[in-house]
Amino acid sequence: MVETDGVYRINSHVAFRTFGKELVVVDTLGQRLLRLNATGALVFRLLDAGQGLPEVAAAVARAFDTSVEQARIDALSFIEELEKRGLVERRVTT
Amino acid sequence: MLLPSSCSTFRWSIAENLVETCIKASHRPLFGDWIGSLHSYAAVEHEPPKLRLTIDIRPLPDDLITHARCDFGYDAAGEITSAKLIGQSFVGRLVREQGRWLGQFTIGGEISGSMENVLRIGLSLLCEARGDLLLHASAVEREGAVYVFSGPSGAGKTTIATELTAGATPVALERVVLRIRDRDHIEVHSTPFSDPTRVLLGPRVGRMARLCFIEQADRHACDPLAPFAAVQRLFAQTLVCSRRQGQLTRTLDAVSRVAETGRCMRLLFCRDPGFWNMIV
């Protein structure tokens, strides 16, 4: 289970590039190529910038005109999926 | 082409990468015509080579692993430091030393195919370091522009470049190097791979007009590819060895820039040159 206030980082075997409003993500370990829509792209870029879940949820709520709580639920679900696929990992902070 | 029994050194260049290959042979092997192809790429250069390979031709042990494999060694930052290559007829290692790749290989069996594999992997490492793409594709030059045909083995790359050229000149049969100069200027560099009948005329560079991902069909059809679809196909046909984020990003950037040119097409073709009207 992902910690709700966790901070994540993109794994080093993953590269990504903006493609219009979307994001192309390459995972060389899993030899996969993914396309993220505008919402997924925003979350991914914020994680890459070192933002935690609260900041991500706030940004998604602002960008897509939804409540912070709903954005938090959606973002967490998406991050869990990214973690399952080995694209991000929770950063250990001391 | 006969080689001396001791050692023969070739210096050749592909896409501005100088490669030095020293071939040692304790007996006179059957080289096929591929060495002749390599000679046609020979370059007189004064700069040190980026890739230096020593290929030792001798019988391999009977118990050689039969499955081709390529194992890369990485440093803590994910940078490739070595590549161990094992194939049905060769075994060897590439090591990076002061920015250059050095390798030593023992080769037996079918010589030309083995050397191609060794050199192709070495070249792919150089391309990744430079942000070029080593693409599984053939290419032909027509009226000053280069048309690239990419696809998996058996898709018809060689057929198009040798039998369906409609008067165009073959540039490469199996691999091309793409170098992105800017959005409207992508250079196609030839390679000598897979040319047993010596169709190719030596090193050539030209500006890419179209990049067609080919599929054999019972009719001709050509459609432009959306950028993401082009990225998917380009990645599938480009050898990517690195796990380092910086290098991966550079490769992804190169792939994306090619995809965004609007020059990538999906080409269905049957065995006649009628498709040319659709892509020129």
Side-chain angles (χ1 to χ4, degrees):
Chain A
M1 186 67 186
V2 177
E3 296 288 334
T4 54
D5 57 350
V7 178
Y8 304 85
R9 69 177 173 198
I10 312 300
N11 277 323
S12 62
H13 54 85
V14 174
F16 58 94
R17 186 183 189 275
T18 301
F19 232 69
K21 290 182 179 176
E22 299 177 331
L23 201 73
V24 174
V25 180
V26 178
D27 168 19
T28 52
L29 280 189
Q31 299 195 321
R32 284 173 303 196
L33 196 66
L34 302 175
R35 177 165 56 171
L36 304 184
N37 64 15
T39 315
L42 175 61
V43 173
F44 202 89
R45 276 194 293 262
L46 289 169
L47 294 181
D48 183 56
Q51 300 293 304
L53 185 60
E55 293 83 7
V56 170
V60 169
R62 275 196 307 274
F64 297 98
D65 195 22
T66 184
S67 70
V68 172
E69 184 53 30
Q70 185 59 50
R72 185 181 161 286
I73 292 168
D74 292 344
L76 181 56
S77 168
F78 177 65
I79 292 167
E80 284 179 333
E81 186 61 34
L82 293 177
E83 199 177 17
K84 266 189 224 162
R85 290 172 178 245
L87 301 176
V88 302
E89 63 182 4
R90 195 150 57 87
R91 205 161 60 187
V92 177
T93 53
T94 55
Chain B
M1 178 75 59
L2 297 178
L3 289 172
S5 61
S6 56
C7 181
S8 188
T9 299
F10 305 90
R11 289 167 70 85
W12 51 296
S13 66
I14 289 180
E16 299 169 25
N17 287 313
L18 189 67
V19 177
E20 186 173 282
T21 310
C22 175
I23 298 171
K24 296 177 180 174
S26 56
H27 62 292
R28 181 181 292 177
L30 177 64
F31 282 101
D33 289 329
W34 193 73
I35 284 296
S37 259
L38 200 62
H39 266 301
S40 74
Y41 281 71
V44 179
E45 303 277 355
H46 300 293
E47 62 177 291
K50 297 282 191 240
L51 178 66
R52 179 174 284 146
L53 298 171
T54 300
I55 298 175
D56 189 358
I57 298 169
R58 60 189 179 191
L60 289 172
D62 293 336
D63 59 350
L64 181 72
I65 296 168
T66 54
H67 298 292
R69 205 172 75 219
C70 185
D71 297 329
F72 293 100
Y74 299 88
D75 62 16
E79 185 89 42
I80 296 173
T81 54
S82 66
K84 183 180 179 186
L85 314 173
I86 300 171
Q88 287 191 333
S89 54
F90 67 90
V91 59
R93 208 160 80 97
L94 276 164
V95 179
R96 201 167 71 172
E97 199 173 284
Q98 296 177 333
R100 289 182 301 155
W101 285 93
L102 296 100
Q104 183 144 15
F105 295 86
T106 300
I107 285 179
E110 207 276 299
I111 304 296
S112 59
S114 300
M115 285 200 291
E116 281 205 27
N117 283 331
V118 169
L119 293 170
R120 194 163 48 215
I121 292 171
L123 184 60
S124 75
L125 293 170
L126 290 176
C127 284
E128 278 190 69
R130 300 181 63 125
D132 297 337
L133 301 176
L134 182 58
L135 189 66
H136 196 198
S138 65
V140 300
E141 185 178 341
R142 181 180 173 127
E143 295 171 357
V146 179
Y147 295 81
V148 179
F149 301 93
S150 183
S153 298
K157 297 183 294 294
T158 306
T159 301
I160 287 180
T162 56
E163 297 173 27
L164 307 176
T165 59
T169 306
V171 168
L173 301 182
E174 177 70 11
R175 299 270 168 174
V176 298
V177 175
L178 297 185
R179 172 163 298 166
I180 297 92
R181 294 293 188 189
D182 60 49
R183 183 181 165 83
D184 292 319
H185 187 179
I186 295 177
E187 278 179 2
V188 183
H189 292 254
S190 58
T191 71
F193 302 131
S194 300
D195 186 22
T197 56
R198 297 211 212 171
V199 172
L200 304 177
L201 302 175
R204 297 178 88 92
V205 183
R207 203 164 175 149
M208 188 181 85
R210 288 273 184 272
L211 168 51
C212 300
F213 292 92
I214 57 174
E215 297 170 33
Q216 294 194 39
D218 56 3
R219 64 192 169 91
H220 298 305
C222 188
D223 298 300
L225 280 172
F228 183 72
V231 167
Q232 282 182 307
R233 285 169 169 79
L234 273 160
F235 243 101
Q237 300 304 327
T238 301
L239 184 55
V240 180
C241 305
S242 178
R243 293 179 196 164
R244 193 182 189 188
Q245 205 166 45
Q247 275 193 344
L248 276 176
T249 302
R250 191 159 54 231
T251 302
L252 178 58
D253 189 56
V255 163
S256 302
R257 290 173 72 184
V258 174
E260 287 170 334
T261 59
R263 296 172 190 271
C264 298
M265 324 289 287
R266 177 180 180 231
L267 175 65
L268 303 181
F269 76 103
C270 51
R271 285 182 169 258
D272 73 64
F275 64 86
W276 278 104
N277 293 332
M278 297 178 164
I279 62 174
V280 173

